[in-house]
Amino acid sequence: MLFHERLLKNKIGMPKACLHLDNDVYSKGGCINGKLEVKGGSAKKKIKRYDIDLISIDQFQKKEETINSRSVFCSHNCSPNKTGTFSFVLNIPENIEKAAETKKFCVLIRVVLENAHSIIQKYPIHINQLVD
């Protein structure tokens, strides 16, 4: 195995992903607008797909549930020291379950690179729960 491949296997020199959201607080029935920014690592890689998921996490029951999801298949080259930006919109359903004290919401990003490498990160958000 080449030295460079070993570094990537240990996640050293991998591209970095950062999520920029328009707000930190959202409402039921609203939209999450944002940009996914991917900065190239030490070697040229190809982005095969990226996923944006709205997830609820029940910390008491240790259970995650996907509320809404968006997957985009692409073939984007990620060169060293170059940045690629992808815009997205993710809807928040009107019938979203009322959040208990132990329930949190987050946006999860997954960037799938060639050779089955992935970048996965979670970003917490707050969804206002209107009284029905």
Side-chain angles (χ1 to χ4, degrees):
M1 184 183 295
L2 296 172
F3 177 71
H4 182 69
E5 289 176 3
R6 269 193 222 147
L7 288 176
L8 289 176
K9 186 174 183 180
N10 292 319
K11 308 255 185 209
I12 298 171
M14 289 273 294
K16 306 285 186 236
C18 185
L19 189 65
H20 302 282
L21 300 175
D22 60 340
N23 290 309
D24 290 329
V25 179
Y26 297 92
S27 298
K28 291 167 38 170
C31 291
I32 299 171
N33 292 301
K35 293 183 183 188
L36 172 60
E37 188 177 87
V38 180
K39 183 174 182 179
S42 62
K44 187 175 180 179
K45 292 295 239 179
K46 187 171 281 197
I47 298 173
K48 295 183 352 182
R49 182 182 92 223
Y50 62 92
D51 305 321
I52 313 285
D53 300 334
L54 175 59
I55 306 238
S56 69
I57 302 168
D58 190 323
Q59 296 172 327
F60 182 70
Q61 295 180 358
K62 297 185 178 169
K63 184 172 120 182
E64 287 188 5
E65 179 185 357
T66 301
I67 298 170
N68 198 356
S69 182
R70 171 154 301 190
S71 293
V72 177
F73 293 90
C74 61
S75 181
H76 178 77
N77 287 323
C78 190
S79 301
N81 300 320
K82 301 284 182 191
T83 302
T85 304
F86 308 95
S87 297
F88 69 90
V89 176
L90 194 62
N91 294 324
I92 302 170
E94 277 285 340
N95 62 350
I96 195 168
E97 215 176 276
K98 184 171 177 164
E101 289 291 320
T102 60
K103 193 178 237 183
K104 305 287 181 200
F105 297 98
C106 72
V107 175
L108 180 133
I109 61 168
R110 182 181 309 102
V111 179
V112 180
L113 305 168
E114 62 187 348
N115 300 328
H117 292 115
S118 295
I119 304 166
I120 300 172
Q121 295 178 355
K122 289 182 182 176
Y123 294 85
I125 63 167
H126 180 74
I127 298 176
N128 284 334
Q129 300 292 325
L130 304 175
V131 179
D132 295 353

